[in-house]
Amino acid sequence: MGLKSTLARDDSKIFSDGRIAGPMPWVIAIMVFLTILASAAGVAIAASASQNNETLARKMTVQILEEEPIKRNNQRTQIVEYLRKLPQTESVTPLSDADIIQLLEPWLGLNEDTAFESNELIPLPAIIDVQMKVIADEPLRIQMLSEMQSIAPSVRLDTQESWIAPLYDLMRSFIYLIFALILLLAAATSATVVLAVRSALDTHRNTLDIMHLMGSTDSQISRLFQRRVAVDAFFGGAIGFIFGCLTIWFISSRLNNLIAGVVSQISMPWYGWIILALIPLLMGILSIVIARWTVRGAMKKIL
Amino acid sequence: MQTVVNFENVGLRYGAGAEALSGLSFKLFAGSFYFLTGASGAGKTSLLKLLYLAHRPSRGMIKMFGEDIVTMPRDRLPGFRRRIGVVFQDFRLLNHLSAFDNIAMPLRISGIEEKDLEGPVNELLSWIGLADRASARPTTLSGGEQQRVAIARAVIGRPEILVADEPTGNVDPEMAVRLLQLFAGLNKLGTTVIVATHDIHLLREIEGAQMMRLKDGQLSDPTGSLKNPAVPLVLNN
Ligand SMILES: Nc1ncnc2c1ncn2[C@@H]1O[C@H](COP(=O)(O)OP(=O)(O)OP(=O)(O)O)[C@@H](O)[C@H]1O
Ligand SMILES: [Mg+2]
């Protein structure tokens, strides 16, 4: 039939107000903000999991819990020597006292000044990071431990595996949880758009009826709403995005201070930022699609 | 003479109630002028709603412009609605728009460019004597002025069919006659006009007009109340 199905660009000649009234842009801002936080957490967890997985599994920690400092230092030197000679080790790194203090600081409330004063009160262990060439199996670990015990009876050998495995399970659960959360946020956003569009349909009922009887097509009418929803959604999305990014930057700088040394730094990989930038865009598109669907559903009910 | 509207055994039922219209069969011809009369509740508005495609009949066949509009898919109806002008009983002007924008609405819906619609709208505004009220909101216009705006909106798109429901209901007799002359002018240009009215006096104002009388949702035989009908109303049975 070739009906011209566009309306004048300046549709203030049709609707009185330029925007869909109500809190929709702000709700979308909040949804985008929360989605950004959730996604950033997901991306960071997934990235750090895959980044650390292999290396962590090949990592072991040797601790010497000897209280007497001079004795401890001797034992450390000997054990480092022993470990370096082992063909299966890739690198052996004894941590300096300063490193250890920094590592323990968040747990013990120490800082460098008080730590040295209180050295006698709270004996620090010697810690040696060992990076293996392969993942150490049980017999190898038992052999290593017994040989080291002959040097220092108080030695402990920790594989990262023992606590890494449940940590990875936890990380995986977190990622599923985050997916579910994002779906819920998208659903809540859709519901908000449906409600806002329905109330706008009500507000403009009379206008729409007249337009309909004069031969407006459904797409002309739904475009009036889509355009308004688009403006509101991208406005809200931009605000949510800006606050989301600020929050991520703030949290990640805090978090990296806290966990320094435990696992390698949690950081957003480059593609993480692309994912975050897509969120307001996708939320906007979702809103427009939902608006279109709502209007068309309502229009179908009148002939 | 070309048939623009063809009803065959049409019935309309609202919900589960009795039929508001039943067994309507008639033809309307291009360029003719019809009055639709009948007591209150006889079904005039219901019949007009079928004509301006606000409802589908619950039975029977309706052809408009040669096409069956009963089984026509929804998305083709807008094209047909654009060929039909409607004056509603209560005007149904949009109060947030100026008189100009109300009248321009059908052209905007048809996708006419702004620069191309200013001329025709202003021309029509001066023809209905409201050139100086172009930017006035309907609520600031008198009843008669609103009515003229409503009529201007119905005719701006040069519809092939003009449907008017009690267009003279709220105006004094003198204004009623003037409005009717407006319809007659349009009719002379080829538009098929259907006017529903209670007002028997109006029937004599239009030379060659024909009358359709509804009674309890049924079309009764056109009587001799019209003088010299040029084209008799054709009943199909
Ligand atoms: N939307 C509706 N739902 C249910 N019944 C309706 C509806 N519209 C009209 N009717 C019924 O259909 C019948 C015809 O009504 P209609 O409005 O067509 O009469 P009318 O001839 O235009 O009357 P009037 O001269 O008072 O305007 C009436 O009995 C009315 O109650
Ligand atoms: Mg009526």
Side-chain angles (χ1 to χ4, degrees):
Chain A
M1 179 119 238
L3 279 189
K4 200 167 170 190
S5 64
T6 51
L7 285 166
R9 199 162 301 275
D10 179 12
D11 56 29
S12 64
K13 307 267 174 57
I14 291 163
F15 279 0
S16 40
D17 52 351
R19 290 265 204 85
I20 285 185
M24 193 180 73
W26 301 106
V27 174
I28 287 179
I30 293 168
M31 295 301 178
V32 167
F33 173 76
L34 294 175
T35 308
I36 287 208
L37 293 195
S39 310
V43 169
I45 289 173
S48 86
S50 67
Q51 183 184 73
N52 288 309
N53 204 1
E54 243 291 290
T55 344
L56 274 178
R58 289 190 283 116
K59 210 169 175 180
M60 295 196 290
T61 307
V62 175
Q63 280 187 69
I64 306 164
L65 303 172
E66 176 56 50
E67 286 180 27
E68 215 286 295
I70 297 175
K71 222 170 161 185
R72 188 171 67 224
N73 275 346
N74 283 335
Q75 288 173 349
R76 182 172 63 184
T77 317
Q78 281 177 287
I79 284 180
V80 167
E81 234 169 85
Y82 157 74
L83 287 171
R84 283 192 173 142
K85 277 191 207 133
L86 268 185
Q88 293 93 336
T89 54
E90 191 177 272
S91 68
V92 178
T93 320
L95 299 191
S96 68
D97 279 353
D99 283 341
I100 294 168
I101 288 165
Q102 202 193 10
L103 194 62
L104 297 181
E105 186 241 300
W107 282 277
L108 300 183
L110 297 176
N111 61 42
E112 253 169 272
D113 300 333
T114 56
F116 283 115
E117 285 163 23
S118 62
N119 205 2
E120 284 77 40
L121 301 175
I122 303 169
L124 295 174
I127 296 178
I128 304 161
D129 276 347
V130 183
Q131 187 70 49
M132 304 295 285
K133 285 177 185 145
V134 291
I135 297 171
D137 55 8
E138 183 97 20
L140 177 59
R141 274 179 299 171
I142 291 171
Q143 186 210 331
M144 286 170 73
L145 185 62
S146 69
E147 303 221 12
M148 288 190 295
Q149 270 167 342
S150 67
I151 302 167
S154 66
V155 80
R156 276 183 52 186
L157 178 65
D158 295 315
T159 58
Q160 310 280 349
E161 208 186 4
S162 55
W163 60 274
I164 281 296
L167 185 67
Y168 277 118
D169 279 348
L170 187 68
M171 281 179 161
R172 206 169 300 121
S173 318
F174 265 135
I175 288 173
Y176 291 142
L177 189 70
I178 283 166
F179 264 118
L181 206 64
I182 289 172
L183 287 182
L184 285 177
L185 288 168
T189 306
S190 306
T192 310
V193 174
V194 169
L195 290 178
V197 168
R198 282 208 189 135
S199 101
L201 278 168
D202 264 2
T203 310
H204 298 292
R205 174 93 271 160
N206 189 35
T207 309
L208 298 180
D209 279 349
I210 295 291
M211 288 177 69
H212 180 69
L213 289 175
M214 287 177 179
S216 271
T217 60
D218 289 356
S219 58
Q220 281 181 323
I221 289 176
S222 82
R223 233 169 278 165
L224 288 174
F225 288 89
Q226 282 162 235
R227 209 173 296 158
R228 283 165 173 74
V229 168
V231 170
D232 283 1
F234 287 121
F235 170 77
I239 290 184
F241 180 73
I242 290 166
F243 278 91
C245 288
L246 286 176
T247 309
I248 288 166
W249 172 78
F250 179 76
I251 290 182
S252 67
S253 60
R254 285 299 175 95
L255 203 61
N256 279 332
N257 288 343
L258 185 73
I259 61 169
V262 180
V263 287
S264 61
Q265 298 247 308
I266 288 182
S267 68
M268 267 282 250
W270 61 271
Y271 59 82
W273 293 107
I274 294 179
I275 291 176
L276 295 195
L278 283 177
I279 287 171
L281 203 67
L282 292 176
M283 281 287 205
I285 292 170
L286 175 72
S287 305
I288 292 168
V289 169
I290 294 289
R292 178 185 172 83
W293 174 80
T294 310
V295 175
R296 295 204 153 218
M299 294 309 292
K300 281 220 172 69
K301 286 185 192 141
I302 52 179
L303 176 65
Chain B
M1 185 144 295
Q2 212 186 328
T3 308
V4 284
V5 176
N6 188 3
F7 274 48
E8 268 176 32
N9 200 26
V10 170
L12 175 67
R13 186 189 300 278
Y14 292 106
E19 281 194 316
L21 297 172
S22 58
L24 298 188
S25 298
F26 63 88
K27 286 179 179 159
L28 302 182
F29 294 109
S32 303
F33 198 117
Y34 300 92
F35 282 109
L36 179 62
T37 64
S40 183
K44 300 184 294 298
T45 299
S46 302
L47 176 51
L48 295 189
K49 278 180 179 167
L50 291 177
L51 285 172
Y52 60 75
L53 304 178
H55 283 307
R56 281 194 212 264
S58 32
R59 65 183 172 101
M61 187 218 56
I62 300 177
K63 276 190 178 175
M64 291 182 83
F65 311 111
E67 292 207 55
D68 180 355
I69 56 102
V70 178
T71 56
M72 183 175 286
R74 250 191 109 251
D75 59 355
R76 284 196 63 205
L77 292 175
F80 282 77
R81 292 195 179 103
R82 291 180 191 183
R83 300 164 76 177
I84 303 165
V86 189
V87 184
F88 301 95
Q89 193 162 358
D90 48 356
F91 317 147
R92 300 189 71 175
L93 295 174
L94 299 175
N95 287 330
H96 63 273
L97 298 181
S98 65
F100 183 99
D101 289 332
N102 266 288
I103 296 172
M105 180 78 91
L107 299 182
R108 292 196 167 119
I109 286 171
S110 302
I112 309 279
E113 298 287 328
E114 286 304 297
K115 60 177 168 48
D116 297 329
L117 60 75
E118 260 171 50
V121 174
N122 284 324
E123 198 179 315
L124 197 51
L125 271 165
S126 39
W127 193 53
I128 60 172
L130 290 176
D132 54 334
R133 307 299 313 270
S135 57
R137 301 281 156 124
T139 43
T140 66
L141 297 174
S142 76
E145 287 168 338
Q146 289 182 37
Q147 199 139 25
R148 280 180 273 164
V149 172
I151 290 166
R153 183 180 66 179
V155 305
I156 184 81
R158 295 191 174 270
E160 290 158 69
I161 298 179
L162 179 73
V163 172
D165 197 357
E166 312 268 8
T168 57
N170 318 337
V171 294
D172 59 69
E174 202 178 321
M175 173 62 87
V177 171
R178 274 176 56 196
L179 290 175
L180 218 55
Q181 294 310 323
L182 217 118
F183 292 143
L186 201 70
N187 177 241
K188 288 215 170 65
L189 297 174
T191 298
T192 307
V193 180
I194 303 116
V195 178
T197 183
H198 279 121
D199 193 346
I200 298 295
H201 301 293
L202 289 178
L203 307 188
R204 305 185 185 285
E205 296 293 335
I206 305 290
E207 195 82 31
Q210 297 148 68
M211 185 176 69
M212 302 165 77
R213 183 179 287 159
L214 272 173
K215 196 181 174 199
D216 296 333
Q218 290 184 313
L219 212 50
S220 58
D221 219 20
T223 61
S225 62
L226 293 169
K227 49 182 182 182
N228 307 325
V231 185
L233 174 69
V234 176
L235 291 168
N236 275 350
N237 40 33

